[in-house]
Amino acid sequence: DSGVTQTPKHLITATGQRVTLRCSPRSGDLSVYWYQQSLDQGLQFLIQYYNGEERAKGNILERFSAQQFPDLHSELNLSSLELGDSALYFCASSPPAASGGPETQYFGPGTRLLVL
Amino acid sequence: TQLLEQSPQFLSIQEGENLTVYCNSSSVFSSLQWYRQEPGEGPVLLVTVVTGGEVKKLKRLTFQFGDARKDSSLHITAAQPGDTGLYLCAGEGSSNTGKLIFGQGTTLQVKP
């Protein structure tokens, strides 16, 4: 158990719909990352938040958005869903790295999204 | 764009055999991490290598970071069925934000 929680575990929805995925980071971690894992694209970085502010952006579609709340939990909103959005969505959190060294990211169990 | 290529993509071996997984890039990474992922779960960090030429050992697993910090390898000695899983390498991008660039992964199956 990494200490990162994600809900829901599974989500089945239809094309054109909108869903919200939720992530609670480990206690004390300020950074939250969102990743998408699909069979053809592998694990792709979407977006990072640090203490409520967007810090880095990856290959995140305009139909997707995220935010981090004052209590540090984060939500990833996916709208106008398409069949190709079916994937595993992971959240990870990390504590501040020491002296600019590499951050250790702890991954949640993921949300499996199926768009029909 | 920084990319990481892993090879092989799939590996099926017998218990007791040795194996090596490679992670290569044309870009320099400030650090490189190896993760193991089991079905239905998130990736779990195995090791982080930071210095060019660095070698780290974790029981039967040996990780090496290339001298130029563009490549890495994972060697498993005497593989066991419990080693079965998806192995992912990930490099920290040039922006130093913690953003990770993942390789496509190597699916390892160790048969008893």
Side-chain angles (χ1 to χ4, degrees), chain B residues 33-50:
Chain B
Q33 302 178 348
W34 285 91
Y35 290 81
R36 180 164 164 254
Q37 184 180 12
E38 297 194 40
E41 298 181 12
V44 176
L45 180 66
L46 295 174
V47 78
T48 301
V49 284
V50 179

Side-chain angles (χ1 to χ4, degrees), chain A residues 37-104:
Chain A
Q37 187 176 38
S38 59
L39 283 174
D40 57 341
Q41 294 284 328
L43 201 57
Q44 300 276 319
F45 168 76
L46 295 178
I47 197 164
Q48 178 200 2
Y49 278 82
Y50 180 84
N51 203 20
E53 301 281 329
E54 182 185 305
R55 193 174 182 200
K57 223 168 183 175
N59 302 322
I60 187 166
L61 300 172
E62 284 191 15
R63 301 183 284 110
F64 296 0
S65 65
Q67 52 184 328
Q68 186 179 27
F69 295 88
D71 67 353
L72 300 177
H73 91 271
S74 178
E75 292 181 355
L76 178 67
N77 300 295
L78 316 177
S79 61
S80 303
L81 285 168
E82 302 175 0
L83 296 178
D85 296 329
S86 296
L88 270 167
Y89 290 85
F90 287 103
C91 166
S93 75
S94 68
S99 304
E103 295 182 357
T104 297

Side-chain angles (χ1 to χ4, degrees), chain B residues 12-60:
Chain B
S12 182
I13 60 172
Q14 292 294 135
E15 182 177 0
E17 291 184 14
N18 302 332
L19 66 115
T20 302
V21 177
Y22 298 93
C23 180
N24 295 300
S25 175
S26 57
S27 306
V28 174
F29 288 92
S30 56
S31 68
L32 205 135
Q33 302 178 348
W34 285 91
Y35 290 81
R36 180 164 164 254
Q37 184 180 12
E38 297 194 40
E41 298 181 12
V44 176
L45 180 66
L46 295 174
V47 78
T48 301
V49 284
V50 179
T51 308
E54 183 176 4
V55 176
K56 280 192 174 178
K57 291 195 174 187
L58 190 65
K59 296 182 182 177
R60 293 175 294 99

